[in-house]
């Protein structure tokens, strides 16, 4: 007697004769097998596409993060973090910034500056890294504090330098140094990560003088991995401003083809001129194009026009 049985999705041919069972033979596969393989292949494609979108939009996501609460002025540990008294801070001070080392070679993903959306300053610069990339001390100095701040900085390190500056390194996966440890410029101090308030791996880097958060772009030329000059003059009136010594070809131009003057950078608004692009305007004012759109309530597809007034803050 010949009997067809369906076992675990397979058709099995059973031969039974005189009550004795003979060996079972597979005669066909389930038609679902090929369909299953195609489904898995399509899922893999979808995952790859998602990863590509995530990679291409990571910088925009970084701009969407609410700035970290200032560890120097807020939180349970503020007294330990900020030992400086306002009465002791000079109105101006020339600071030697020779002997530097770039903390990471990555490009800027979010600039220093006021975030109107959150009503708070972003008091450092975010630099692109991969998870567990080595983070290096920017100058010779001594580690003053290593800590964890869940609301923003995650694992962070503060180093005090002989030139009077302090540097802050945030969102680390791991500290590689301890308080009171002496370090040289370029020494590894941590592994980069995404701890605290963060949507992805990046280094939050601050430069401070007696508690004042200087715009790091006033000291460092991050695009060329160097400092603008051998000294930086701290001034209570201008410490939030960036300095841009990039070649003129990288600067936005006015209608006469000349780079904008330094005085233009102090303005709160800017009137679009012939030849301007949103990106060139944003670069001239130390902003990303994404940030400039948000300040002005613009959608990604919106086009600027000559004569249009853009808010810069």
């Amino acid at each position: 007697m010949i009997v067809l049985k369906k076992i675990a999705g397979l058709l099995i041919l059973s031969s039974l004769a005189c009550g004795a069972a003979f060996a079972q033979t597979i005669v066909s596969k389930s038609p679902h097998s090929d369909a299953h393989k195609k489904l898995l292949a399509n899922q893999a494609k979808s995952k790859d596409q998602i990863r590509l979108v995530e990679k291409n939009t990571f910088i925009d996501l970084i701009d969407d993060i609410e700035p970290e609460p200032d560890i120097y002025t807020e939180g349970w540990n503020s007294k330990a973090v900020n030992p400086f008294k306002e009465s002791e801070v000079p109105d101006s001070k020339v600071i030697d910034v020779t002997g530097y080392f770039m903390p990471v070679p990555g490009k800027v993903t979010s600039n220093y500056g006021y975030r109107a959306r959150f009503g708070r300053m972003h008091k450092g610069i975010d630099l692109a890294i991969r998870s567990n990339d080595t983070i290096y001390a920017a100058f010779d100095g001594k580690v003053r504090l290593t800590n964890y701040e869940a609301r923003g900085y995650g694992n962070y390190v503060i180093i005090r330098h002989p030139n009077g500056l302090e540097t802050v390194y945030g969102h680390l996966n791991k500290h590689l140094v301890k308080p009171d440890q002496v370090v040289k410029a370029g020494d590894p101090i941590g592994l980069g990560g995404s701890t605290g308030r963060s949507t992805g791996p990046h280094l939050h880097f601050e430069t401070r003088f007696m508690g004042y958060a200087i715009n790091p772009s006033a000291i460092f030329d991050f695009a060329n991995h160097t400092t603008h000059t051998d000294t930086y003059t701290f001034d209570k009136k201008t410490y939030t401003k960036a300095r841009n010594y990039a070649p003129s070809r990288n600067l936005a131009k006015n209608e006469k083809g000349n780079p904008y003057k330094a005085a233009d950078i102090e303005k709160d608004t800017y009137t679009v001129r012939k030849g301007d692009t949103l990106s060139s305007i944003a670069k001239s004012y130390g902003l990303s194009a994404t940030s400039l759109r948000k300040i002005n309530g613009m959608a990604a597809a919106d086009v600027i026009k000559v004569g249009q007034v853009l808010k810069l803050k």
Side-chain angles (χ1 to χ4, degrees):
M1 179 173 64
I2 306 300
V3 179
L4 280 175
K5 296 182 181 179
K6 189 173 183 181
I7 301 174
L10 300 177
L11 291 176
I12 307 297
L13 178 64
S14 257
S15 295
L16 300 176
C18 301
F22 293 91
Q24 295 177 336
T25 306
I26 297 175
V27 293
S28 68
K29 293 191 300 181
S30 165
H32 297 292
S33 180
D34 289 337
H36 184 61
K37 289 181 179 177
K38 289 180 180 178
L39 178 61
L40 290 175
N42 287 334
Q43 287 176 341
K45 282 183 180 179
S46 296
K47 289 179 180 177
D48 288 340
Q49 290 170 348
I50 290 171
R51 290 191 189 101
L52 181 61
V53 170
E54 288 175 343
K55 180 178 180 181
N56 289 340
T57 60
F58 177 70
I59 292 177
D60 286 345
L61 288 174
I62 288 295
D63 271 341
D64 285 338
I65 301 172
E66 182 180 356
E68 296 86 348
D70 187 352
I71 54 175
Y72 276 73
T73 59
E74 300 181 35
W76 63 272
N77 201 35
S78 62
K79 290 182 180 179
V81 174
N82 186 11
F84 305 105
K85 295 179 180 179
E86 175 62 27
S87 61
E88 298 174 350
V89 182
D91 289 335
S92 65
K93 172 73 174 178
V94 177
I95 299 170
D96 182 352
V97 292
T98 58
Y100 69 92
F101 194 94
M102 300 304 291
V104 293
K107 65 181 180 180
V108 175
T109 58
S110 185
N111 287 297
Y112 172 104
Y114 181 71
R115 298 291 185 263
R117 178 179 178 184
F118 302 108
R120 178 184 286 167
M121 282 285 291
H122 183 227
K123 295 189 175 182
I125 273 188
D126 292 344
L127 299 167
I129 60 165
R130 294 169 299 182
S131 186
N132 291 319
D133 274 357
T134 303
I135 310 301
Y136 302 96
F139 301 99
D140 293 352
K142 179 183 284 190
V143 178
R144 185 163 68 79
L145 183 66
T146 62
N147 209 341
Y148 178 77
E149 211 291 306
R151 296 180 304 152
Y153 290 75
N155 291 313
Y156 66 89
V157 172
I158 298 178
I159 302 176
R160 180 173 293 183
H161 308 287
N163 60 9
L165 290 177
E166 288 194 333
T167 48
V168 182
Y169 311 78
H171 303 303
L172 306 179
N173 272 345
K174 184 179 181 181
H175 303 124
L176 296 180
V177 290
K178 297 179 180 179
D180 295 324
Q181 181 175 336
V182 174
V183 295
K184 293 291 186 182
D187 281 353
I189 60 169
L191 300 180
S194 185
T195 57
R197 181 183 285 134
S198 170
T199 61
H202 68 284
L203 174 67
H204 175 81
F205 177 64
E206 295 184 9
T207 48
R208 297 262 184 167
F209 177 70
M210 300 191 75
Y212 277 71
I214 298 167
N215 187 337
S217 289
I219 298 173
F220 292 97
D221 176 356
F222 290 97
N224 295 302
H225 301 163
T226 187
T227 54
H228 294 299
T229 52
D230 288 343
T231 61
Y232 164 75
T233 301
F234 166 81
D235 188 296
K236 285 184 177 179
K237 295 179 181 179
T238 62
Y239 71 94
T240 62
K241 307 301 180 184
R243 291 193 291 175
N244 194 341
Y245 292 99
S248 59
R249 65 177 179 274
N250 293 336
L251 298 177
K253 305 292 196 303
N254 60 24
E255 71 276 8
K256 295 182 180 180
N258 299 318
Y260 299 127
K261 297 178 181 179
D264 293 333
I265 299 178
E266 305 299 322
K267 296 180 179 179
D268 293 331
T269 61
Y270 173 75
T271 302
V272 178
R273 302 168 183 175
K274 184 178 179 181
D276 284 339
T277 66
L278 195 70
S279 294
S280 68
I281 296 169
K283 182 184 291 185
S284 293
Y285 290 91
L287 299 169
S288 68
T290 300
S291 296
L292 190 56
R293 286 194 201 97
K294 288 179 180 177
I295 292 171
N296 289 276
M298 298 172 62
D302 289 346
V303 178
I304 59 174
K305 300 178 180 178
V306 174
Q308 181 179 349
V309 178
L310 297 175
K311 296 178 183 177
L312 300 173
K313 299 178 181 179

